Amino acid sequence: MRTYSLLFLILLLSRIVEAQGVRIVPDSLWEGQQFGTSIQLTDQFLIVGDAFDTVYLFERDETDQWGEVNRLVSTLKSFGIGAGPKVAADSGHILLGIWDDSNDRGGAYVYSLSSEGSLVLEGTLNPDGRETDTTYAGVFFDNSSYGLSVALHGDYAVIGSPGGLYTSLPGQGAVYVFFKDPLLGWVQQARLLADPPGIDDAFGASVAIHGNKILVGAPEKIPQFQGWKSVFV
């Protein structure tokens, strides 16, 4: 089996012509770890996930060397090696999508991130009525892959569930939007569906957020009479 590492290209803005390639690895690395399945970069930290649902934090020191400062080992997945967590980071928070848990039902978890690199679980972002309200039954069903895509911007978190069953359409998918309320914490604000919905759209396979706009990918959706895949804004 191959040993994976992350080759991170640093562009030094003050002297852009001297771009430097730096190989970044955790303090311990083993065959099959698949280090680098997801990456995020903040002003201070480089955040890297592996296939065993571990997230590593690296920080660059005064000599421009990247060193591991913390790691988060998830115990949320109930079986062996998977595809690893999806990671988003912004404004002192990290959002993890653990979509390949038991039967691929999925989950999403937001952590506060301090300037020292410490991580504290701040909330579990489950859709309203996840296990009791049939309106959201698709997220509770197997293969919903809730958390396969995640995005974070300020006080807003966006989570895709591309395998969900909604309005009796298998694999239609949905996207959930959460807001961090000053008093209530992270609460669901909206559930987004494709219009019109279709079977196996995989709506929510990818998500992005910037300002007041959310971008959603539905790679399996083919609009009638058009024949191309779809992105929704």
Side-chain angles (χ1 to χ4, degrees):
M1 300 182 68
R2 296 180 60 187
T3 299
Y4 286 70
S5 63
L6 177 68
L7 183 63
F8 182 58
L9 181 64
I10 302 173
L11 298 180
L12 304 177
L13 297 182
S14 60
R15 41 196 176 92
I16 192 79
V17 295
E18 298 182 25
Q20 179 184 6
V22 178
R23 184 174 183 264
I24 297 174
V25 295
D27 293 341
S28 57
L29 187 68
W30 62 90
E31 290 188 358
Q33 183 179 1
Q34 297 184 20
F35 177 72
T37 56
S38 59
I39 54 174
Q40 280 284 301
L41 187 64
T42 71
D43 291 339
Q44 184 178 0
F45 298 106
L46 171 64
I47 306 162
V48 186
D50 71 9
F52 287 84
D53 286 344
T54 301
V55 175
Y56 301 82
L57 268 68
F58 296 85
E59 187 175 21
R60 190 165 55 185
D61 61 23
E62 61 277 359
T63 64
D64 278 343
Q65 299 299 311
W66 290 88
E68 182 182 331
V69 295
N70 199 359
R71 68 175 65 181
L72 177 66
V73 181
S74 172
T75 59
L76 303 171
K77 191 173 66 175
S78 60
F79 65 95
I81 186 171
K86 301 299 180 179
V87 182
D90 190 49
S91 301
H93 290 92
I94 292 178
L95 176 62
L96 299 184
I98 309 294
W99 62 276
D100 56 343
D101 65 352
S102 178
N103 299 318
D104 287 345
R105 293 178 179 179
Y109 309 86
V110 62
Y111 292 80
S112 61
L113 172 62
S114 73
S115 59
E116 291 77 29
S118 62
L119 292 166
V120 177
L121 181 63
E122 194 170 280
T124 300
L125 307 189
N126 287 337
D128 296 340
R130 177 177 175 183
E131 298 187 18
T132 57
D133 185 347
T134 55
T135 302
Y136 299 94
V139 179
F140 182 63
F141 289 162
D142 293 349
N143 303 314
S144 293
S145 297
Y146 178 76
L148 178 63
S149 60
V150 293
L152 193 61
H153 182 70
D155 292 328
Y156 287 89
V158 183
I159 303 160
S161 177
L165 168 66
Y166 307 95
T167 62
S168 301
L169 297 175
Q172 171 190 341
V175 170
Y176 295 84
V177 182
F178 291 81
F179 172 72
K180 186 181 180 183
D181 184 275
L183 298 178
L184 301 177
W186 292 91
V187 294
Q188 182 180 320
Q189 269 211 332
R191 182 184 67 165
L192 310 179
L193 301 176
D195 184 16
I199 296 175
D200 292 331
D201 282 349
F203 183 81
S206 56
V207 296
I209 180 173
H210 183 73
N212 62 353
K213 290 182 173 60
I214 293 174
L215 193 66
V216 180
E220 299 302 322
K221 188 172 188 62
I222 303 178
Q224 189 176 13
F225 308 122
Q226 295 177 5
W228 56 69
K229 308 303 182 179
S230 302
V231 173
F232 295 80
V233 179

